[in-house]
Amino acid sequence: MQKDDELASRLMEKIGRCRMEAIALDGLETLFDPLAKANPDAKVIMMNWRTFRQWRNSLDTFVHKLTVMVYHNIITGSSLGLLPWLALLQPLDRLSGGHVEHLLRSGGPPITEVGGPMVWLYHQSMNHRRQYECWTPPSTSIAPQTEEEYQDFYGKAKKYFSKEQIFDWDPRKNTLEELCNFLGIDPCIKKGKVPKAINTWIFERDFPIAANAVIVLRLFLHWVNWKLFDALLSLPFWFYRAWRERPKVD
């Protein structure tokens, strides 16, 4: 992506078609260069408020908790992948009000603020197929191992953008009003500093009803899949038994 201009152009075409207004590079850090080249007027919010050592210690602690969460989601959510159950998502979404379709067409409301069962089911299913995939080699993630690599990544912004286009965001000091002012959002619908949050199981904590409804569905589909698999394996034995027990002809 960084070296192939045609591939980068195709990415920009996809982004333009989806009418994206912002992109978070969490897990997509290798896309910074092609995105910066294609969007010279962009504004950049830099999350470099910690030292490398502080960031690394936080990452090392987070990875262990993240691994447990990911495997939990993969094990419970794998029931949706054995058979094409997700093909039912679109008709069910339309019957229940079209929340997923509206989210995909409009880009809102943010999944971090509104999360019903259908949106939660879609979001978690896409995590398994898209987000988790980018964390495994060949990966789009950059995880600096040294102070030099850490500073080099954040230093790239100054290569492509002017000082006025960069906001060094520090959640300990900066307010949402300052962020709105930088982005040209008026009026700013939220005030003050961003509240602290636990960075694992955060959706489950915020939307417990939707999360538990989806987990129950996933576990139920494990049972359904097992029953269907058991019935499929039993068919040859059923035909064999029927053949053995057929009436004898003299």
Side-chain angles (χ1 to χ4, degrees), residues 24-66:
L25 292 179
D26 180 19
L28 301 172
E29 291 87 2
T30 57
L31 299 186
F32 180 84
D33 289 277
L35 287 170
K37 291 177 183 177
N39 298 275
D41 296 327
K43 293 185 177 182
V44 181
I45 302 171
M46 300 276 281
M47 303 294 291
N48 59 338
W49 53 279
R50 290 175 293 191
T51 65
F52 167 72
R53 182 46 53 195
Q54 289 172 329
W55 172 83
R56 190 71 215 185
N57 290 340
S58 176
L59 177 64
D60 292 341
T61 302
F62 173 63
V63 164
H64 298 298
K65 297 186 291 182
L66 178 66

Side-chain angles (χ1 to χ4, degrees), residues 165-178:
Q165 291 175 268
I166 300 173
F167 186 5
D168 290 306
W169 172 264
D170 187 340
R172 301 168 301 179
K173 302 175 182 178
N174 298 120
T175 64
L176 290 168
E177 291 93 332
E178 291 176 280

